[in-house]
């Protein structure tokens, strides 16, 4: 599943990124944690939902951790 980085915030010295799915599938949004710097509204990542392996759209693996998955952006602020 491909996601586009739409927001970033800092938490405990690590950057957390919010990404939105590029297709109408569930989950629509994910929050990921990464030591690598991603660009807002430019970077597209490919996430394998079965293995949780994340790569750039070019296929190069990215070291990141999926923290949360959700379908509505409001849900991220409720939990």
């Amino acid at each position: 599943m491909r996601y586009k980085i739409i927001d970033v915030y800092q938490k405990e010295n690590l950057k957390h990124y919010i990404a939105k799915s590029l297709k109408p599938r569930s989950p629509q949004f994910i929050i990921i944690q990464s030591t690598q710097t991603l660009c807002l509204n430019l970077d597209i990542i490919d996430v394998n939902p079965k293995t949780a392996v994340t790569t750039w759209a070019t296929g190069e693996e990215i070291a990141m951790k999926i923290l949360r998955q959700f379908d509505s952006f409001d849900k991220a602020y409720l939990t």
Side-chain angles (χ1 to χ4, degrees), residues 2-8 17-20 22 32 37-46 55-58 62 64:
R2 288 199 172 193
Y3 290 86
K4 185 176 186 176
I5 306 300
I6 62 168
D7 202 2
V8 62
Y17 297 92
I18 299 174
K20 183 182 184 322
L22 295 179
I32 52 179
T37 301
L38 303 173
C39 295
L40 293 179
N41 299 314
L42 291 177
D43 279 336
I44 295 175
I45 58 173
D46 212 357
T55 60
W56 297 107
T58 59
I62 305 170
M64 62 178 51

Side-chain angles (χ1 to χ4, degrees), residues 40-78:
L40 293 179
N41 299 314
L42 291 177
D43 279 336
I44 295 175
I45 58 173
D46 212 357
V47 178
N48 183 328
K50 293 180 183 177
T51 62
V53 172
T54 306
T55 60
W56 297 107
T58 59
E60 183 182 349
E61 196 167 311
I62 305 170
M64 62 178 51
K65 178 180 177 184
I66 299 172
L67 300 176
R68 205 171 323 157
Q69 302 178 14
F70 48 95
D71 288 321
S72 173
F73 196 66
D74 294 339
K75 289 182 185 178
Y77 299 104
L78 296 176

